[in-house]
Amino acid sequence: QPQLLELTGVGPDSAAILLVAAGDNHDRLRDEASFAALCGVSPVERSSGKSQRRRLNRGGNRQANAALYRIVLSRLRWEERSRAYLQRRTAEGKTKREVIRCLKRYVAREIHRCIAGAPLPVPDSLAA
């Protein structure tokens, strides 16, 4: 999927891990929320008393989650839009860890759009 490699921060290793996580039948991923849950970046409520927090889902494909983390770190280093988002959210009182959680979800949404727009792969035996 060359369009996946055109996204900022997505290298061949991360793209391969995310494509394997999505599988051949990417129609089973109904929407970006199901892809986010598959990658373990769907938020889970962790509230106590007056504090309302969310944390990442500990389930899902841990390799895909790590690939999203690497993409976010490279975007924070090289992409101005992500750095501005980090500064804005930390000024609002979010921790860097919470901002990375949000960015991983945004990246998962972007990657799902890329994967879902791709045609299904046709095996060589059927293409002839």
Side-chain angles (χ1 to χ4, degrees), residues 10 13 21-22 25 33 38-39 64-65 91 97 99 106 109 111 124:
V10 180
D13 292 338
N25 187 7
L38 176 71
C39 294
N65 190 299
R97 187 176 189 171
V99 175
Y106 289 136
R109 185 174 295 138
I111 288 173
D124 292 335

Side-chain angles (χ1 to χ4, degrees), residues 101-122:
R101 176 192 59 78
C102 295
L103 285 171
K104 282 165 71 173
R105 180 60 187 261
Y106 289 136
V107 170
R109 185 174 295 138
E110 191 176 350
I111 288 173
H112 177 264
R113 267 191 246 120
C114 205
I115 291 173
L120 290 172
V122 178

Side-chain angles (χ1 to χ4, degrees), residues 35-92:
F35 181 70
L38 176 71
C39 294
V41 292
S42 57
V44 176
E45 287 287 333
R46 300 299 297 173
S47 303
S48 174
K50 293 183 181 179
S51 69
Q52 296 233 330
R53 298 238 184 241
R54 290 185 174 94
R55 69 164 178 80
L56 282 181
N57 184 353
R58 298 275 183 217
N61 187 322
R62 303 314 301 160
Q63 288 182 335
N65 190 299
L68 291 174
Y69 181 75
R70 285 190 299 272
I71 292 168
V72 166
L73 287 186
S74 65
R75 285 185 178 195
L76 284 174
R77 183 174 179 123
W78 303 110
E79 187 181 50
E80 185 58 40
R81 186 178 56 152
S82 297
R83 280 186 287 199
Y85 181 82
L86 175 69
Q87 290 175 348
R88 187 175 77 242
R89 294 302 291 243
T90 51
E92 294 173 3

